[in-house]
Amino acid sequence: MNTSLAAVAAAMTISASALAPGTVRAADGDPASTTATSRSQAAEDFRWGAASAAYQVEGAPSADGKGRSVWDHYLDDRSLAGPGVSGAVAINFYDRAQYLQDIALMKRLGINSYRFSISWPRILPDGQGPVNPAAIAHYRQFIADLKAADIQPMLTLYHWDMPLALAEAGGWENRDSIAWFKRYAEVVFANFSDQVDLYVLVNEPLVEFGMKHLAEQRMAGEPGVFAIVPDGPQLTRALTTFNHVMLASAAAKASFDAQGRQGRLGVALPLFPVLNAEGATPDDQASAALADGVMNRWFLDAIYNGRYPEDVVAAARDKGADTTSWAADARTIGEAGFDYLGINFYSALYIRRPAQAPSGYAVEMFTPEGVYTALNGPVRPDQFKALFDRIRTDYGNPTIFVTENGAGFPNEDTLIDGAVVDTRRCRYILDHVSAMQAAIRDGSDVQGYHVWSSHDNLEWLFGYGSRFGMIHVDFDTQVRTPKRSAEVYGRLIRGEAVTAADCE
Ligand code: GAL
């Protein structure tokens, strides 16, 4: 719990001069921080939101002619999240009667931006074949309903639900995926760009790869290890995948621009500051530097400098990767000119060199004893601030949207007497908003913040037990109950000064 207290202490230093509305006030009532807002234009336009993804919330796996996704296969055909764990209902969000209630709830909280994904196999059931008008109509209605509630859409095109037919053809490891995605993106732009002006092209290629690799291990009958940073044997496949996902995003962006469409496009990257534990050896430090290269610099250097990091390319070459096209590919990605950077931030990661690793690239995530963690790793709002600083100073201060930030904690979401007091999540959110506001004061161009997630939902291969929502969902009855974090986040958005004590 020690780091938790340090994190709360960080929140106490926040003053009212943050650009964004909503202020986290010192728990001791520092008078300088009691005025809630500074009403600059940037503050007026700031998007305060929440995020979700189609497969995690929608259910309705065959409604309106939907095709199958790789996730239907993983959970329903192969039971990879455990017996009976399925996305067939999830939180029933495809149902209009249900989602209208959810939109009303979010509006009551004060959320003005909702990041959601549309499902590729709904729009193109075979991945490549004919367009499904029923799915287009569904999402157009959904977006109209959001906007009628004054909630702005942030539309993600791809949040991991690859059409099964394309996954079977190799998915992102097949270079044809660039053309597959471009076509899908063109269908999306043609059908939604009168309603939407902010798009996330793809979500988290890094974590998607880790999840896919875990699925493969489970299909082979092993419990499997979920490695966010690919280990040695996976390095070449992982980088090949990332290269194709980023090239696909660049192709979609080029097409959007060539058609003269209006809107802003970016990708949502899971950025993980890398830490060495006390007593790290030079080998551990070298592994940590390479892990930073794979998880962070690989993407950022390509987007902002048009090249892949030399150390990572050399490590891949050392593992036998064919890197022939990579320099030109990185230039293409750099030339795409994405309009903003989407940051998904959860934690910092401790990295070391595994014992008895063969020579060359070898990395291992671990958690030193005594470190305060959430389900997604060590809780470090200070590293969130450091990440903004790094992007501002090393990558030319691009516009940023925080596309995901949030936490789940074991045994935190119990409904007692009609209420869920999720103190740790609530503090996590306040501490990270504080860190973001500090970065804005230092000059970072952050234009929006989305909590992962609005609701509890289906956490991929980890099923329904890992809750991340500000709104509790009873998965049997579909009853919703806003948690303490929702109430406090709502007050923050509405411009009230809130403190960590409000989370108790
Ligand atoms: C992200 C992912 C989300 C959600 C979240 C919580 O990596 O984009 O879909 O699962 O983690 O773990």
Side-chain angles (χ1 to χ4, degrees), residues 56 159-160 203-204 207 344 346 376 404 452 459-460 468:
Q56 296 178 272
H159 199 127
W160 305 357
N203 181 72
E204 295 194 350
V207 182
N344 292 3
Y346 288 89
N376 284 0
E404 289 179 27
W452 184 276
E459 179 64 2
W460 306 109
F468 282 79

Side-chain angles (χ1 to χ4, degrees), residues 426-494:
C426 178
R427 287 182 171 191
Y428 178 103
I429 292 170
L430 296 188
D431 291 339
H432 286 76
V433 167
S434 295
M436 173 184 75
Q437 290 180 325
I440 292 172
R441 284 197 302 277
D442 285 353
S444 288
D445 178 22
V446 189
Q447 299 190 6
Y449 173 84
H450 298 81
V451 172
W452 184 276
S453 180
S454 55
H455 298 69
D456 291 334
N457 60 40
L458 170 53
E459 179 64 2
W460 306 109
L461 292 174
F462 307 112
Y464 291 99
S466 298
R467 293 174 180 267
F468 282 79
M470 293 183 290
I471 298 170
H472 180 273
V473 177
D474 179 322
F475 296 117
D476 296 322
T477 61
Q478 296 298 337
V479 169
R480 274 60 167 156
T481 309
K483 305 177 191 176
R484 179 62 57 82
S485 57
E487 178 203 320
V488 172
Y489 185 53
R491 289 173 55 194
L492 174 74
I493 297 173
R494 292 194 299 274

Side-chain angles (χ1 to χ4, degrees), residues 157-442:
L157 282 82
Y158 180 77
H159 199 127
W160 305 357
D161 47 355
M162 170 81 64
L164 184 57
L166 301 183
E168 283 170 344
W172 293 116
E173 283 175 69
N174 183 338
R175 202 170 168 107
D176 291 346
S177 58
I178 300 165
W180 302 335
F181 182 76
K182 176 168 176 276
R183 155 110 204 289
Y184 164 56
E186 284 169 349
V187 171
V188 172
F189 299 149
N191 285 284
F192 298 100
S193 56
D194 62 325
Q195 287 185 301
V196 175
D197 63 5
L198 188 61
Y199 298 87
V200 179
L201 292 162
V202 295
N203 181 72
E204 295 194 350
L206 176 82
V207 182
E208 182 191 20
F209 181 84
M211 204 59 90
K212 178 184 173 186
H213 185 51
L214 178 58
E216 288 166 347
Q217 294 170 75
R218 291 192 180 171
M219 285 191 279
E222 301 156 22
V225 176
F226 177 52
I228 290 174
V229 52
D231 64 11
Q234 295 302 318
L235 182 66
T236 301
R237 274 180 81 200
L239 296 178
T240 304
T241 298
F242 305 161
N243 188 39
H244 293 162
V245 177
M246 292 306 298
L247 284 168
S249 301
K253 171 76 165 77
S255 171
F256 188 89
D257 291 345
Q259 290 172 2
R261 298 192 188 281
Q262 297 301 306
R264 293 195 288 174
L265 274 61
V267 295
L269 298 178
L271 297 175
F272 287 100
V274 170
L275 305 173
N276 275 127
E278 225 170 277
T281 64
D283 276 355
D284 292 329
Q285 288 167 3
S287 284
L290 269 174
D292 174 61
V294 172
M295 297 194 291
N296 304 317
R297 286 182 283 116
W298 178 266
F299 297 95
L300 296 170
D301 286 10
I303 293 172
Y304 296 109
N305 301 328
R307 57 173 184 267
Y308 284 133
E310 260 317 309
D311 54 341
V312 179
V313 174
R317 210 175 278 137
D318 193 46
K319 298 267 177 206
D322 175 3
T323 65
T324 328
S325 69
W326 288 4
D329 292 345
R331 273 198 301 281
T332 304
I333 293 160
E335 284 159 9
F338 297 113
D339 299 295
Y340 71 88
L341 175 66
I343 298 183
N344 292 3
F345 181 85
Y346 288 89
S347 64
L349 296 181
Y350 286 91
I351 300 289
R352 66 184 170 202
R353 185 171 178 84
Q356 277 133 29
S359 67
Y361 172 89
V363 297
E364 183 176 78
M365 275 164 45
F366 73 110
T367 307
E369 226 168 278
V371 167
Y372 176 59
T373 60
L375 293 176
N376 284 0
V379 175
R380 292 295 295 267
D382 61 318
Q383 290 295 319
F384 194 30
K385 168 71 166 60
L387 176 63
F388 287 118
D389 293 344
R390 180 186 190 184
I391 289 166
R392 189 176 66 247
T393 51
D394 292 3
Y395 294 102
N397 201 15
T399 295
I400 291 173
F401 284 93
V402 177
T403 32
E404 289 179 27
N405 175 239
F409 295 90
N411 312 318
E412 146 129 314
D413 296 296
T414 322
L415 191 59
I416 300 169
D417 296 334
V420 179
V421 183
D422 55 341
T423 302
R424 284 174 288 174
R425 175 178 299 105
C426 178
R427 287 182 171 191
Y428 178 103
I429 292 170
L430 296 188
D431 291 339
H432 286 76
V433 167
S434 295
M436 173 184 75
Q437 290 180 325
I440 292 172
R441 284 197 302 277
D442 285 353

